[in-house]
Structures are given as C-alpha cells and as structure tokens.
Amino acid sequence: PQLNKSELNRALQYAIIRSRKTANGQRIEAAEPGTVIGFIGAKGGVGTTTLACHTAQALARETRESVMLTGFDHSAAGVAHLMKAASKYTIVDIAQNLHRLDENLWKALAHTTNSGIEVLAPPGAADYLGPVDAERYRHVMRMARTKYTRVVLDLGVLNPLSVALIEDTVVPPEKLSAYVAEL
C-alpha cells in the first residue's frame, strides 16, 4: 500500500536481475527483444506517468538495452515534460505517417534523451485534438517492438484507447507460466 523511492528502486533492481536469469538460474545477457511494459491508472494524478518515466530510465541504466518511452494522453504532455523531450513531433505524427515510415523518419520524429531513451511525445504535447485511431497506435507499438528491446508505455487512465492498447502489453495466458519461470 505504501511505496517510497528506495523501495521502488530496490524492486526494479531485483526485477531486472530476475529477468536476466533463466529458469535454471543461469545468467543471460539480454531479455527477449520487444518486451512491452505498460502503466495505467484508475484516474488522473496517481503517478502513472512518473512511474513509467522512472521505469524507462532504470531499464536503460541497468540493462544498457534500447528503450523507447511514449504516452497516449491527449490532454497533457507528461512523458515529454518529465523526460525533457523537446520535440514538435508526437506519436500521432508517426501513426499518421505509417505508409512512409522508415528508420530515418522514425529517428527524425523521436527524441533521444541524454540517457539514450527514445521518447515519442504523447499527443497532448502538441495539443492534438483530432480523432484517435487505436489500430494505428497498435501498429506503431508493433513496429517499436522490432526496434527496441524494451518499450515502456504510459497508457494514462482507463479509457477506450488504453483498453485497446493494453492487449499488446499483457502476456497471453498460454505463455504466462513460461514467462514467470524465466523471471
């Protein structure tokens, strides 16, 4: 029920160490590419964005693997603000340019932080008020899984968009026991 900074840091460190071990306890160098970690809050103001940003930073620092962070909040720029990702582009720009998206365009639209995390700013960073196409966002996430070892999502509050996107962050039941055994 209560979690302070040192407890969160210790929990993340243990989780990272566990993720580097196989079921028989042997150390492995990298986890399976494309792991998606999503954070969702029951309502606004519960710290979901802060937790997502800190998790991305801890993963980048501790694993030295490629990490991408994005948010889906249409009313705020939390992820971009906390990560100091000054970019005029957002995840909406990537979603709207799927037909011509290549490595160069992706790099131009993403913001790389000093810690090496690539941030796709949430729609709210550009005051985007247009329609939400969950399937386009899901396609962006599928592409991100091929580019990054870890993808951290701030799904914001429980709403139709976050529900549509959460499918891609949940381990399917048939793979859950194998996934837990790896940890």
Side-chain angles (χ1 to χ4, degrees):
Q2 297 178 10
L3 185 65
N4 62 38
K5 182 179 176 182
S6 65
E7 289 171 337
L8 175 61
N9 189 28
R10 187 174 65 244
L12 285 172
Q13 287 176 351
Y14 287 143
I16 291 167
I17 289 168
R18 282 192 310 269
S19 74
R20 291 182 182 163
K21 293 183 178 182
T22 63
N24 64 6
Q26 292 181 330
R27 186 172 170 79
I28 56 175
E29 290 306 311
E32 179 180 310
T35 301
V36 177
I37 303 167
F39 294 90
I40 191 167
K43 61 180 185 169
V46 297
T48 307
T49 301
T50 302
L51 188 56
C53 291
H54 284 291
T55 300
Q57 289 175 323
L59 285 168
R61 181 181 61 247
E62 297 297 324
T63 67
R64 306 247 189 270
E65 296 172 343
S66 59
V67 176
M68 187 202 83
L69 169 66
T70 192
F72 295 95
D73 194 340
H74 281 71
S75 62
V79 166
H81 175 73
L82 289 176
M83 298 301 290
K84 296 178 176 59
S87 175
K88 62 182 179 179
Y89 303 109
T90 71
I91 191 167
V92 174
D93 295 297
I94 288 182
Q96 290 176 339
N97 287 286
L98 289 173
H99 61 286
R100 62 185 193 101
L101 193 59
D102 63 8
E103 186 68 26
N104 292 330
L105 183 57
W106 187 285
K107 290 288 186 190
L109 298 177
H111 173 86
T112 304
T113 67
N114 292 338
S115 55
I117 299 168
E118 288 200 22
V119 177
L120 299 179
D127 297 323
Y128 179 76
L129 300 174
V132 175
D133 186 346
E135 190 52 40
R136 283 189 165 273
Y137 286 153
R138 289 181 76 190
H139 190 72
V140 171
M141 291 302 93
R142 286 191 294 271
M143 291 178 74
R145 292 180 75 169
T146 67
K147 300 174 64 49
Y148 303 94
T149 307
R150 309 283 185 194
V151 178
V152 179
L153 308 178
D154 173 13
L155 295 167
V157 298
L158 190 61
N159 61 38
L161 176 61
S162 62
V163 169
L165 295 172
I166 204 164
E167 270 182 45
D168 294 325
T169 66
V170 176
V171 178
E174 64 273 7
K175 294 184 180 180
L176 186 58
S177 60
Y179 182 77
V180 171
E182 284 181 24
L183 297 177

